[in-house]
Amino acid sequence: MANIKFVKENQEVVAADGANLREKALQNAIELYTFKGKLMNCGGYGQCGTCIVEVVEGIENLSPRTDAEKRKLKKKPDTYRLACQTLVNGPISVKTKP
């Protein structure tokens, strides 16, 4: 099982290994998007880059960056991920809207 801690929201979510980070956040009413992102998000296809999160702990428990993430996050720190492209395989802590 993978526990996902959302730092700013002070909320912890339990997820099965291999769960999609964006889906688990939305299922648990965690707000990933800024106002612009709410209007313009791509629905989880890795095209818009509006579901960025910062991984505070447990980056080794995530799937490798996808090609979409490599393109969108080229100038961002390695700890930034697109929630829609990230699979969780162990305990992590993330900050939404970094």
Side-chain angles (χ1 to χ4, degrees):
M1 295 303 274
N3 287 359
I4 305 167
K5 180 170 185 176
F6 294 94
V7 177
K8 288 182 182 177
E9 295 79 5
N10 195 27
Q11 188 171 343
E12 196 158 327
V13 173
V14 177
D17 284 348
N20 179 278
L21 183 56
R22 176 184 179 271
E23 289 176 15
K24 292 311 291 183
L26 295 178
Q27 288 169 3
N28 289 279
I30 303 291
E31 192 54 63
L32 287 175
Y33 300 106
T34 60
F35 180 73
K36 178 184 165 196
K38 287 179 192 175
L39 298 175
M40 304 181 70
N41 78 73
C42 66
Y45 293 100
Q47 301 301 307
C48 66
T50 59
C51 63
I52 294 176
V53 296
E54 179 182 3
V55 181
V56 179
E57 286 181 41
I59 199 162
E60 69 278 359
N61 294 326
L62 300 176
S63 58
R65 273 190 175 186
T66 63
D67 289 340
E69 285 182 288
K70 289 174 185 170
R71 283 191 307 276
K72 292 288 178 186
L73 303 175
K74 183 178 352 187
K75 296 179 182 175
K76 303 279 186 195
D78 290 342
T79 56
Y80 280 38
R81 297 293 303 266
L82 295 180
C84 68
Q85 300 292 298
T86 304
L87 302 180
V88 181
N89 296 307
I92 62 165
S93 294
V94 296
K95 284 184 184 175
T96 54
K97 300 180 251 181

